[in-house]
Each structure stands twice: as C-alpha cells, then as structure tokens.
Amino acid sequence: LSSQRRAPTISEVARAAGVGRATAARTLGQYGYVSEELRNRVISAAQELGYQPNALARSVSTGRSATIGVVVADIANPFFGSFVQSITESSHEAGFSTLLLSTNEHLVEEIDAFQLLINKRVDGILVATSAQNVTETRHIQQAQSSGIPVVLIDRQVPDLDIDSVVISNRETTREAVSQLLALGHTRVGFIWGPKIKHRARYRRELTEAASHDIWTDGQRLLGYFDAYDDLTLPIDPGLVSTGEKTAESVQQEVTHMLKADNRPSAFFCTELEALIGTLRAVADCKLSIPRDVSIIGLDDTPWAEVVEPPLTTIEQPLVELGRTAASLLIQRITNTGQAPEPVKTVLQTRLIHRDSVVAPHQSRESRV
Amino acid sequence: LSSQRRAPTISEVARAAGVGRATAARTLGQYGYVSEELRNRVISAAQELGYQPNALARSVSTGRSATIGVVVADIANPFFGSFVQSITESSHEAGFSTLLLSTNEHLVEEIDAFQLLINKRVDGILVATSAQNVTETRHIQQAQSSGIPVVLIDRQVPDLDIDSVVISNRETTREAVSQLLALGHTRVGFIWGPKIKHRARYRRELTEAASHDIWTDGQRLLGYFDAYDDLTLPIDPGLVSTGEKTAESVQQEVTHMLKADNRPSAFFCTELEALIGTLRAVADCKLSIPRDVSIIGLDDTPWAEVVEPPLTTIEQPLVELGRTAASLLIQRITNTGQAPEPVKTVLQTRLIHRDSVVAPHQSRESRV
DNA sequence: CTGTTAGCGCGTTCAC
DNA sequence: GTGAACGCGCTAACAG
C-alpha cells in the first residue's frame, strides 16, 4: 500500500527492532548465534517493514551469486526448451537461479553472452556451444580460468578438456541407418548434412565440411557413414543435403532427390525441421510413406503419432540431459578445487518403432 | 592462463594505469569526462589485467540491475518458448538481461518467483500469470508498490489495473466458431474447457468453472458461447471437454463424444495438446477429416501443414506479443514516474485456411 | 578534467 | 550473545 517507497534495509529493520545491525543481519541471514527473544523482535520488525533482502549486495559481499548462466542457440526451439526447463528446475531445487541467453547459433553472440554472464558474476555456465573447434573456445577457457566452471551441454568440442553432457549422436545415427540398410534400403537420404555451396560429389567434401559444422550434426553424418562402412556399401554424396538448414530448403532438396532417376527409398532426418521439410517434399511428389519411402526422425515429438502414418523416431533424453548437466555444474560450483578431471557424460537414446519404416519395394533399388 | 585468480578490481586497474580510482571508473563505466591520454592508459591497463566490470557491485550502487524477470508457466511449451525468445531478444537490444522462471502453472511457485526476482532487484517483471482473479494478485501489487513495474503477458486479470499485452482470445474464438456454424455445423466440440469433476450438464456450470480457470481458456469458452448466442443456437454443455488438460485425457473425452448418438461434426481446439488429443481420437474412431469432422486449431504450428489433411489453424502473433510486452515494460522502467494509466494492449490473430474445414454432410445433423 | 571521499546493502571479524 | 567497524567493488558528489 505504501507506494514507491525505497526498499527497507537491514539497518532499518535493526533500528525498528531496537537491536544492532549485525544482530539483524544474523537472524535475517540465517547465520551466527542470536537469542530467541531478539530473533523474534527482528523477524516481526522485518515482517512489518516488508523487508526483502538485497541478493545483489549479498553477492558482492560473498562473491557468490547463486545464479548459473544458461546459453543456448534458440529458446523457441522445443528441443532447447525442453532441456532448459529441466535445467531451471534442477537448479532451482538446488537454490540456484538461471540467467538465460540465446545466441541464434552465432559464436559472436555466444561470446557476448559469456561476457555478460561473467560481469553478472554467475557461479557457473551451462552452454550448448556454437564453437566448432578448440580455437573458437577462448571465451570458454577464459571463463574457466576466471574460476567460473563451465559444462558443455548437447554439444561437445573435440580436444577440449572440459565437462560435457551429450547424446550419443554418432552411435544413434549409425544404428538407425543400419536398420534401414538391413531392411534392404541402399539409398538412404541424409537430411540435414553440412552446408556446402554446391551439391557434394565426394565423401571427402562432406567430412571436411562437417568438421566446420555444428558438432551434433557433424557427428550424425559420421554415424551415417559408419553404417554404410559397416556393410562396405558405397556412399552416394548426392544423398546428403547440403543446403540451408531450414524446412523450406530441405523441401526443395528432397524434392530434387525424389525426382531423380535413382531416388532414395528412405530418409534419416536429424531434426524436426528437417523432418517437416522432408515430409512436405514427399507429399509434393505424391509419394506414400512407407510404401515409397521410409523415414526415421531424430528427436521425438508429440505430433509424430498424429500424422499418417505415425512416424518412427528416436527419442532423446532431454530432461535427463538438463538434469545431469545442471547437477554436474552445481557439483563443480560447490566442491570447488575439485579433481580437475573433466567428466564427459554420454546419454543414450531410444528408437521408437512406429509405422514409417518398412523394407523397400523389390521393383526399385535392384542394382546399385 | 592465470588459473583461479581473483578478478581484478577497478582500483587495481587504476593503480596499474597510474591514475585515480574515479578516473578509471569513469572511462570503464563510460561516463563523465576523461582526457584522451588517461583514457587510453586505463583501457590498456584494463585489457592487460583482463578486467571485467562487476555488474553486481554496480547495481547495488546504482539501484538498477539492467535485468528484467520473466515468469511463465512452462518454458518447454513451444508457445511460451516463442515469445520468451522474442522477449529476450527485445530486452537484449535495449540492454537488459532476462532472468527466466517457470511456475508449472502453480500460483505458489509464481509467488516464490516474484520473491526471488525482488530479492535480485530486477528492474521489472513480465509475467504470464496463473492468478485467476484480483484476490490472487497480492504478489503482483506488492511488486508494483515496491517500485518494480510489472506487465502481464498473454494472460490478463479481470479488474486489475495494470499493463497487459494479450491476444484477442474471446473474439478470435467467436469468429472461428462462427465460421463453423455458418457452414452448417451445429454441434461443434470445444476442447479444452474448464476442468469439472463430472461432465457438465448446464451451461451455467461451465461459465462458473471457467471463471476459476486460466484466463485465456476461460475467454475462449466465452467466445464459443458468443458464437452460438449470435445465432441463438442451443448450446450442448456435453460438447465441452471438462477433463484434465492433457492430450491423453482429451483423447478419451473426444472418443466418447464421437461414439455418442449425436456426435459433433466439428471441433475447436484451444491448444496444441488439445489438438493432438483430438486428432488421435478421430483416428481411433476411424473417422476422416474433414469428411466426418472439421477441425480448427488455435495456435499454428509447423506440423499443421504436414499432416493429412493440412490443418486449418489460427496463428497467434507470438513474437509481436513478446516484443510489445518487453518494450512496454522497458518504457515503464525508463520513464519512471509516468502517467499511471495502465495500457492494455490486445493483439489480433490470423485464421489460416487449410483443408480441415468443410460443410457437414447433409446426412447427419439434420434436426437439432 | 582529475582525484578524494562518501555512500550502496550486506557479510564478517573482533573486542565488549 | 551482541554490536561496532571494516571490507566487497562500484557510483557519484565534491573539491581542486
């Protein structure tokens, strides 16, 4: 009811309670000894004044902010949304708030984000980094050496000795594509692959480009190759999309693949957007799933079983991802000066069989 | 490379540069006058020491934190994710960070969230509140009177004089349902309605329950009634779902409606999850869209045009919602002591015609 | 223009 | 047990 009043400080509470500043601080801050009587006087005084502790002042004094920074590429993406949810929940339970920043997949913005988080003196940072190799991780190492623990989430950086929690991208893809291959598919499209100016003609071009790609996507491409290599089957670089990573671009590329002479009989889609683009292309070409083309999507989604036919997908343990990363980070924050051995956790995925995968028709894909 | 060193302070920079503390503060803080030469000395000294300003200390000194709190029900929900993204982007451009909190649709957690944000001395709060009436808004009013501006986003509170940015929920629903009615549908299911123990038998029960429901959902139900009232058509309370607000529960309820004698020929779904549940039920009953049932979904989504048939939906201006709310809040923060006239913005939606809506078959719905 | 000084709100040591 | 006093890192008012 008191409008626009400055927030009461701890000394004001002390005065109102008729005690020393320190006594008020001790009771309100839950530390040190204070007699039953004084404690009550302070508490009721605080209540009456509507005292709210100033966490900022406390932080500059203690050096800890009880806040962890979370840096992701795109909060609007349900994928990130899910594990961010899980992160905030876990941290909250442990008494930490989260400062959320989005980078739009730009390294520059990620560096800015780190700067900001350091300025705000967060106790630790969780980041789904856009960095593709060690040379791009100066900001991460700098944070670490400033005493701010960092753990990588969802995306790793090769050759960087730092805690990380990721999905088994390469293995997951390898197994999924292997299943397709085992069913007799020999031409499976890989959506999406690394971005290249022109369509790739050599596998080498793709692996090269993948090394400059987002880590997860790169790993998945390698898994795709693994599956082919396991059976010593020939790889057609033309089956790997190399355009923009948008549903629209994918739609075009897949349409192109589907109209070609030797069209793919199956697709592995590494993202929801890729899946949507592929589905549109299949519809555009008047082809039918799974009769004409089989499809596996990485990343499960509620609508996967609402489309016709229900889609076979791979579920990623998103909440576990967030929870694991958060608790690892908080452990680092709490047990400071811990064994510097980086912990690298890899979480497993789960293939959900639905109806979008069958063996290819005998007619097509006879000779390869 | 220097490991675990305490972060250098402004005085250390000053000493290293051979100037006074204030001069260093002025150049580093971008305020006041300072000669070209000294400025350079300070800057290079800062660079060498790897100085990073302590935003916390700055905040306790200035009283402003350049941070706004964002409180939503569920970050994992793409709906919230989208406008949270938009909020963080807008705020960032204006120089504000965002502290994101999720409440799981619980008022208690929302109150906790407010407490935390006040303690962290955020400059303002954006909240998609779970409060359903004025009596549940003590925390909001308290924040306001503490001098922290609050703007409601996506969800309003009747009789509460406070800035808000929302969608035209009632009008939007009214128009959409009207279109269904105009096509000749007389029995359109409304998914999801307010939660009631048993299936509702009287319209009064529903309006009563809706007043204790989430604001958006309540408004939509009223819009549904409006549409019927406009044509003075009779309302069947049995066509309004009253179960849990989950896809599974909806699936059951809709299946039940569909198996009844006088089954609905169309559905209006107020949420993506409601839409998914409804689609599953329709599939379970081996009915076809739009031949047997027409469907309109509130909230557009990328997968709406990937299902068979492509779904007619209503697009909500999510980025505009976030942007508008953020800039309104920031304006309140900046022009403090402004005219206290609350600004209540209502954003319009857009109906996207696709293929899930047609006139009902003559056979059914002859007599009502 | 520059440096000195006094806060900001709170944590914490150290005599009483 | 309690309270005075100092420090955290920074801003800002004030003299020079």
Side-chain angles (χ1 to χ4, degrees):
Chain A
L1 297 169
S2 53
S3 65
Q4 295 284 121
R5 273 273 312 287
R6 221 186 76 279
T9 80
I10 223 170
S11 349
E12 290 173 9
V13 173
R15 195 180 322 131
V19 303
R21 213 204 317 265
T23 306
R26 272 191 283 263
T27 75
L28 263 18
Q30 322 258 39
Y31 62 93
Y33 296 101
V34 49
S35 70
E36 195 60 20
E37 188 200 333
L38 289 196
R39 176 197 308 278
N40 289 336
R41 292 222 319 255
V42 170
I43 289 181
S44 58
Q47 202 127 16
E48 220 151 322
L49 293 180
Y51 171 77
Q52 291 293 72
N54 186 330
L56 262 34
R58 179 174 299 177
S59 293
V60 14
S61 188
T62 61
R64 281 166 292 112
S65 61
T67 303
I68 72 183
V70 180
V71 183
V72 297
D74 175 19
I75 321 168
N77 186 328
F79 173 81
F80 290 113
S82 291
F83 76 69
V84 163
Q85 163 79 319
S86 157
I87 288 173
T88 59
E89 229 171 87
S90 306
S91 329
H92 188 77
E93 284 170 16
F96 288 82
S97 320
T98 55
L99 212 43
L100 182 63
L101 269 31
S102 189
T103 67
N104 299 316
E105 210 73 80
H106 292 328
L107 187 59
V108 199
E109 297 189 39
E110 181 175 319
I111 294 174
D112 282 354
F114 266 64
Q115 178 103 331
L116 179 72
L117 292 176
I118 290 177
N119 292 353
K120 294 243 179 200
R121 295 299 191 265
V122 295
D123 295 334
I125 298 179
L126 241 34
V127 56
T129 185
S130 301
Q132 284 148 14
N133 55 60
V134 224
T135 68
E136 297 183 340
T137 61
R138 274 247 307 279
H139 59 296
I140 298 181
Q141 301 186 39
Q142 180 186 328
Q144 287 264 67
S145 63
S146 306
I148 302 182
V150 178
V151 1
L152 269 28
I153 181 166
D154 181 54
R155 302 180 184 176
Q156 243 237 276
V157 176
D159 304 326
L160 182 61
D161 277 342
I162 190 175
D163 295 332
S164 64
V165 182
V166 301
I167 302 295
S168 64
N169 288 287
R170 186 165 178 171
E171 270 310 308
T172 291
T173 307
R174 175 193 203 148
E175 286 169 18
V177 176
S178 290
Q179 295 211 12
L180 257 13
L181 262 26
L183 281 175
H185 294 276
T186 54
R187 298 181 57 76
V188 355
F190 182 85
I191 317 296
W192 42 53
K195 196 177 158 192
I196 302 183
K197 278 178 272 300
H198 41 267
R199 181 163 298 279
R201 294 168 54 191
Y202 304 107
R203 169 179 178 164
R204 204 173 41 245
E205 292 178 73
L206 291 169
T207 26
E208 158 65 12
S211 69
H212 300 309
D213 200 3
I214 297 176
W215 185 78
T216 47
D217 291 348
Q219 291 295 302
R220 291 164 188 174
L221 180 61
L222 294 183
Y224 169 79
F225 289 156
D226 287 343
Y228 271 87
D229 289 346
D230 286 344
L231 301 179
T232 57
L233 281 172
I235 289 171
D236 180 353
L239 295 182
V240 176
S241 76
T242 55
E244 293 290 340
K245 299 192 173 182
T246 64
E248 288 67 32
S249 172
V250 160
Q251 182 174 2
Q252 282 186 19
E253 284 193 271
V254 172
T255 301
H256 185 80
M257 292 185 197
L258 251 20
K259 294 233 162 109
D261 276 349
N262 206 354
R263 72 164 187 240
S265 62
F267 286 94
F268 180 81
C269 302
T270 66
E271 274 234 356
L272 252 30
E273 283 289 300
L275 181 57
I276 288 178
T278 303
L279 290 177
R280 282 198 204 141
V282 173
D284 287 351
C285 296
K286 313 274 183 217
L287 294 175
S288 152
I289 301 171
R291 191 169 53 86
D292 302 315
V293 313
S294 289
I295 288 193
I296 297 184
L298 181 41
D299 219 4
D300 189 41
T301 169
W303 55 266
E305 52 178 55
V306 128
V307 301
E308 218 9 71
L311 267 21
T312 295
T313 61
I314 295 168
E315 184 189 51
Q316 305 192 46
L318 264 20
V319 303
E320 195 184 346
L321 185 66
R323 186 157 30 83
T324 309
S327 67
L328 178 54
L329 179 63
I330 290 174
Q331 187 178 319
R332 290 296 191 201
I333 293 173
T334 316
N335 309 355
T336 175
Q338 190 74 357
E341 281 306 308
V343 175
K344 293 180 171 282
T345 306
V346 178
L347 267 26
Q348 299 308 312
T349 57
R350 191 168 66 91
L351 181 64
I352 301 179
H353 289 282
R354 282 193 276 251
D355 308 331
S356 62
V357 174
V358 297
H361 274 192
Q362 278 309 102
S363 50
R364 336 204 97 259
E365 63 77 51
S366 25
R367 74 267 136 205
V368 183
Chain B
L1 297 172
S2 54
S3 65
Q4 296 287 119
R5 273 274 312 288
R6 222 186 73 278
T9 78
I10 224 172
S11 348
E12 290 174 10
V13 173
R15 196 179 323 132
V19 303
R21 209 207 315 267
T23 306
R26 272 191 284 262
T27 75
L28 263 18
Q30 322 256 41
Y31 64 93
Y33 296 100
V34 50
S35 71
E36 194 61 21
E37 189 199 335
L38 289 196
R39 175 197 308 280
N40 289 336
R41 291 227 314 259
V42 170
I43 289 180
S44 58
Q47 202 127 17
E48 220 152 322
L49 293 181
Y51 171 78
Q52 292 292 72
N54 186 331
L56 262 33
R58 176 174 304 179
S59 293
V60 10
S61 187
T62 59
R64 281 166 291 111
S65 60
T67 304
I68 73 183
V70 180
V71 183
V72 297
D74 175 19
I75 322 167
N77 186 328
F79 173 80
F80 290 113
S82 291
F83 76 67
V84 164
Q85 163 78 320
S86 156
I87 289 172
T88 59
E89 229 171 87
S90 307
S91 330
H92 188 77
E93 284 170 16
F96 288 81
S97 319
T98 56
L99 212 43
L100 181 64
L101 268 29
S102 188
T103 67
N104 299 315
E105 210 71 81
H106 292 329
L107 187 59
V108 198
E109 296 189 41
E110 181 176 317
I111 295 175
D112 282 355
F114 266 64
Q115 177 103 330
L116 179 72
L117 292 175
I118 291 178
N119 292 352
K120 294 243 179 198
R121 296 299 192 266
V122 296
D123 295 335
I125 298 179
L126 240 34
V127 56
T129 186
S130 300
Q132 285 149 13
N133 54 60
V134 224
T135 69
E136 297 184 339
T137 61
R138 274 247 307 281
H139 58 295
I140 297 181
Q141 301 186 39
Q142 182 184 328
Q144 287 263 69
S145 61
S146 305
I148 302 181
V150 178
V151 1
L152 268 28
I153 180 166
D154 181 53
R155 303 178 183 177
Q156 242 236 278
V157 175
D159 305 325
L160 182 61
D161 276 342
I162 189 174
D163 294 335
S164 64
V165 182
V166 301
I167 301 295
S168 64
N169 288 286
R170 186 166 179 169
E171 269 311 307
T172 292
T173 306
R174 175 194 203 144
E175 286 169 17
V177 175
S178 290
Q179 296 212 9
L180 256 14
L181 262 26
L183 282 175
H185 294 276
T186 55
R187 299 182 57 76
V188 355
F190 181 84
I191 318 295
W192 44 51
K195 196 178 157 192
I196 303 183
K197 280 178 269 302
H198 41 268
R199 180 165 298 280
R201 295 168 53 191
Y202 304 105
R203 169 178 180 166
R204 202 174 42 244
E205 293 178 73
L206 291 169
T207 24
E208 158 64 12
S211 70
H212 300 308
D213 200 4
I214 297 174
W215 185 78
T216 46
D217 292 349
Q219 291 295 303
R220 290 163 189 175
L221 179 62
L222 294 184
Y224 169 80
F225 288 155
D226 287 344
Y228 272 87
D229 290 345
D230 286 345
L231 302 179
T232 57
L233 280 173
I235 290 172
D236 180 353
L239 295 183
V240 176
S241 76
T242 55
E244 293 290 339
K245 298 192 174 182
T246 65
E248 288 68 30
S249 172
V250 160
Q251 183 174 1
Q252 282 185 19
E253 285 193 90
V254 172
T255 301
H256 185 79
M257 291 184 198
L258 252 20
K259 293 233 162 110
D261 276 350
N262 206 354
R263 71 164 189 240
S265 61
F267 286 93
F268 180 80
C269 302
T270 66
E271 272 235 357
L272 252 30
E273 283 289 299
L275 181 57
I276 288 178
T278 303
L279 291 176
R280 283 198 203 142
V282 173
D284 287 351
C285 294
K286 313 277 185 214
L287 293 176
S288 151
I289 302 170
R291 191 169 52 85
D292 303 314
V293 314
S294 288
I295 289 193
I296 298 184
L298 181 41
D299 217 5
D300 189 40
T301 169
W303 56 266
E305 51 178 55
V306 128
V307 300
E308 216 12 69
L311 266 21
T312 295
T313 62
I314 295 167
E315 184 188 53
Q316 304 192 46
L318 264 21
V319 305
E320 194 184 347
L321 185 65
R323 185 157 31 81
T324 309
S327 69
L328 177 54
L329 179 64
I330 290 174
Q331 185 179 320
R332 289 296 190 200
I333 294 173
T334 315
N335 307 357
T336 176
Q338 190 74 359
E341 281 307 307
V343 175
K344 291 178 172 285
T345 307
V346 178
L347 266 28
Q348 299 308 312
T349 57
R350 191 167 66 91
L351 181 64
I352 302 179
H353 289 282
R354 284 194 275 251
D355 308 330
S356 62
V357 175
V358 298
H361 274 193
Q362 277 309 103
S363 50
R364 334 203 97 262
E365 64 76 50
S366 25
R367 74 263 137 208
V368 184

